[in-house]
Amino acid sequence: MMAPGIMRVFLLSFLVVSGSLQVTADVDDAEDGVTVETEEEIYQSPKADPKKVYLAENFDDVASFKKKWIKSEAKKQGVDEDIAKYDGKWEIQIPTRKIFNSDSGLVLTTEAKHAAISTLLDRPFEFKDKPLIVQYEVTMQEGQNCGGAYLKLLSRGVTTKADLKQFHDQTAYTIMFGPDKCGNDNKLHFIFRHKNPKNGTIEEKHCKKPTQRLEDIYKDKEPHLYTLIVRPDNTFSVLVDNKEFNAGSLLEDFTPPVNPPEEVDDPNDEKPEDWDEREKIVDPSASKPDDWDESEPAQIIDFNAVKPDGWLEDEPDMIPDPEAKKPADWDEEMDGEWEAPLVDNPRCASAPGCGTWAPPTIPNPKYKGIWRAPLIPNPNYKGKWSPRRIPNPDYFNDEHPFRMTPIHAVGFELWSMSPMLLFDNLIITDDPAVAEAWAAQGFALKKQRISSDSESVVELVLRSVGDRPWLWGAALLVSFAVLAFVAYMCCGPRVDPEADVKKTDAVVEDDPHQEEVEETSEKTSKADLEGPEPEADTSDTTPLVDSEAAGDGQRKRKPRKE
């Protein structure tokens, strides 16, 4: 046993260093401006200057939310009547993983239902000389299997709450932006609807795929910040958590392109009947040589081969396993006659081979195969035919696709197979600094808090002692104390176990209490302590899926023309 004095010194040293590290950690947090929230701390909702935003919604004021946001009463077009209604449930809730006491968000609580909700902007956004910046947070609290979490910026014409009540999938929008997933198809949409300046038709333009991988945002169940910036010079950027995931030009990085080609194939041009596209043809003058023998085989036996010395011709390659035994439950009437499984013959391991020897085959020098006439260049070859090009009657050149249809409202029109999608801190502005400050008041604090909560003890200690070398010395002393304790226990003086027994009430041989202890341990098992196992739920709760509306991952989303 360890001497009482040494034990007291060890414990005292350990507690001193542990307390120092904890105090240092608290001091560091305060110096860095990182505060761990207490129950009394009040979360401050993000705020923005109303003059610098078109919409700023933090979803923390339930009364304000009920006045501004309108749930759709429309029906989705082109689907069965029983699932056409927008009856998904929207609620203002605290996140299931509470980060701050009073921070809430807009939650789509239901799954496998159409859901739509929208609100008017404080003032319309006109695409003139300032950028459009759209930013919001999404937390997929139960992950995402199939469905979207994108928003739509609704076009001019949606101007009243009555219009918002009729918000549905065919409501005109200017931009659609946000995440969408189904199966392994992970998307981050940026779609804008472009008006043809020549004939007035509307066509969707789909952005190229992001350059970054998107899998984690659908399964980590953490808040993510989505930012879209569209600039008057026709450039755009898509950011996730303030990191650029996509960027490019409205003129170059969308499908179909904004501007059509200047020339197109003549639809009335046809390939002439005598047009020969064959580059080579069979030589009509070639003939098979008289000595060409097609009957010779490709391989023949090597008659010069000799059986290697030591070849065990009487030994088979495989033999019954001598160690195998017939199973005790083998029924010859039911299973047939039992035979041991075959294993490699150990005698063949050191021999060049076993079994009947046969000479190998070699390529036949007389073999020529089937004769075919050679190919020669086609003297009538005219190349690959293509129709002539003519000026495109639908050509136009829009050099300013940024000048889109003005935006009057914003809304979520979704279908999701995963419930509890949470949206928070939506802002629409034309000032990048305003969007950055808005994110700093909300998203940045949440990520900082999550990171702080998940920081391990080791990381906390390393960060705490980084600028205080004396703490390393204290920790080193504790380490030596631990090593001394281990060495003492392993190499210290031995104690007579019999003498120890005499001084204590330890159980000895023939102790009558020992049987009682063993009997009690047998009666109480781990299963008894944990309780009965729950019965498996065999009911099928998989909801019906509207495959046509389950996000763009379920189907290829084609550009829509009007």
Side-chain angles (χ1 to χ4, degrees), residues 85-397:
K85 188 176 180 180
Y86 285 93
D87 54 356
K89 303 298 182 182
W90 299 94
E91 296 180 9
I92 298 298
Q93 294 184 356
I94 298 291
T96 54
R97 177 188 180 182
K98 185 173 68 172
I99 301 174
F100 294 108
N101 289 336
S102 57
D103 177 37
S104 57
L106 173 63
V107 180
L108 176 57
T109 62
T110 51
E111 61 181 309
K113 289 181 179 292
H114 296 292
I117 193 169
S118 56
T119 186
L120 297 173
L121 300 187
D122 297 338
R123 53 194 171 95
F125 180 87
E126 303 280 346
F127 290 88
K128 294 181 178 179
D129 56 355
K130 292 185 177 181
L132 169 69
I133 303 171
V134 182
Q135 183 173 274
Y136 70 113
E137 298 172 25
V138 180
T139 305
M140 299 175 182
Q141 300 185 100
E142 296 187 8
Q144 180 66 292
N145 295 320
C146 187
Y150 46 79
L151 55 80
K152 291 182 177 181
L153 305 180
L154 305 182
S155 303
R156 177 177 51 205
V158 180
T159 57
T160 67
K161 291 186 177 181
D163 296 331
L164 299 181
K165 289 183 179 180
Q166 296 305 312
F167 176 36
H168 57 91
D169 61 317
Q170 298 300 316
T171 300
Y173 69 89
T174 299
I175 287 176
M176 189 176 101
F177 168 64
D180 189 12
K181 169 187 173 64
C182 203
N184 295 323
D185 191 4
N186 304 312
K187 294 182 179 180
L188 183 53
H189 290 299
F190 171 25
I191 304 171
F192 74 93
R193 298 171 79 244
H194 178 259
K195 184 177 181 180
N196 186 317
K198 192 167 186 177
N199 56 27
T201 58
I202 303 292
E203 188 174 37
E204 290 179 350
K205 308 297 181 181
H206 292 244
C207 182
K208 66 180 181 181
K209 291 186 176 181
T211 56
Q212 306 290 333
R213 297 178 66 88
L214 300 171
E215 288 81 355
D216 290 344
I217 65 177
Y218 296 103
K219 61 185 180 182
D220 61 12
K221 303 179 182 180
E222 292 191 359
H224 290 285
L225 183 70
Y226 298 89
T227 307
L228 170 66
I229 306 173
V230 189
R231 306 177 185 89
D233 64 357
N234 297 321
T235 62
F236 73 92
S237 296
V238 174
L239 293 79
V240 179
D241 300 343
N242 294 317
K243 296 179 181 178
E244 189 171 78
F245 269 50
N246 207 349
S249 167
L250 300 179
L251 289 166
E252 299 174 0
D253 299 301
F254 285 77
T255 304
V258 169
N259 294 315
E262 294 188 46
E263 293 185 338
V264 294
D265 293 340
D266 184 356
N268 299 318
D269 192 15
E270 297 181 356
K271 182 173 69 174
E273 294 182 359
D274 61 347
W275 190 277
D276 196 340
E277 294 182 337
R278 299 173 300 167
E279 292 188 31
K280 292 186 176 182
I281 60 172
V282 175
D283 185 356
S285 63
S287 59
K288 183 172 68 174
D290 295 336
D291 61 346
W292 192 281
D293 188 355
E294 295 182 349
S295 63
E296 287 288 342
Q299 298 283 326
I300 58 174
I301 295 175
D302 183 5
F303 293 103
N304 297 321
V306 178
K307 181 172 68 175
D309 293 338
W311 188 279
L312 304 178
E313 196 160 1
D314 296 333
E315 290 287 343
D317 291 331
M318 306 289 290
I319 61 171
D321 185 355
E323 297 181 358
K325 297 181 179 179
K326 183 172 68 173
D329 59 349
W330 188 274
D331 188 340
E332 292 193 355
E333 294 184 1
M334 297 285 295
D335 304 322
E337 184 179 355
W338 181 82
E339 295 180 356
L342 298 179
V343 296
D344 292 332
N345 189 342
R347 296 184 180 180
C348 299
S350 58
C354 289
T356 302
W357 180 83
T361 59
I362 57 175
N364 183 2
K366 297 181 180 180
Y367 172 75
K368 294 185 177 181
I370 298 175
W371 182 85
R372 291 182 176 84
L375 299 178
I376 60 173
N378 181 5
N380 298 320
Y381 175 66
K382 295 183 178 181
K384 297 295 181 181
W385 181 87
S386 60
R388 62 175 173 266
R389 304 284 286 178
I390 60 173
N392 184 358
D394 299 322
Y395 173 73
F396 61 83
N397 183 29

Side-chain angles (χ1 to χ4, degrees), residues 497-498 501-502 504-515 518:
E498 294 184 0
V501 168
K502 295 176 182 178
T504 67
D505 293 329
V507 177
V508 296
E509 187 176 0
D510 297 331
D511 192 327
H513 298 292
Q514 185 173 8
E515 294 180 0
E518 293 176 352

Side-chain angles (χ1 to χ4, degrees), residues 478-519:
V478 172
S479 300
F480 279 127
V482 172
L483 291 175
F485 171 72
V486 173
Y488 186 88
M489 294 299 295
C490 295
C491 306
R494 300 294 180 181
V495 179
D496 185 0
E498 294 184 0
D500 198 43
V501 168
K502 295 176 182 178
K503 297 178 182 179
T504 67
D505 293 329
V507 177
V508 296
E509 187 176 0
D510 297 331
D511 192 327
H513 298 292
Q514 185 173 8
E515 294 180 0
E516 295 179 9
V517 172
E518 293 176 352
E519 203 173 327

Side-chain angles (χ1 to χ4, degrees), residues 432-463:
V434 172
E436 291 173 5
W438 181 264
Q441 296 175 61
F443 175 74
L445 295 179
K446 293 178 186 179
K447 295 300 288 186
Q448 189 177 62
R449 176 64 186 273
I450 292 172
S451 177
S452 176
D453 289 347
S454 62
E455 188 176 38
S456 69
V457 174
V458 174
E459 291 170 336
L460 185 61
V461 169
L462 292 177
R463 181 166 60 84

Side-chain angles (χ1 to χ4, degrees), residues 42-53 55-61 103 135 137 424-427 429 433-443 445:
I42 300 176
Y43 172 73
Q44 298 294 328
S45 300
K47 296 180 181 179
D49 186 350
K51 297 179 181 179
K52 296 183 178 181
V53 299
L55 179 70
E57 177 60 77
N58 52 47
F59 298 109
D60 291 334
D61 187 338
D103 177 37
Q135 183 173 274
E137 298 172 25
D424 202 3
N425 295 333
L426 168 61
I427 189 170
T429 181
V434 172
E436 291 173 5
W438 181 264
Q441 296 175 61
F443 175 74
L445 295 179

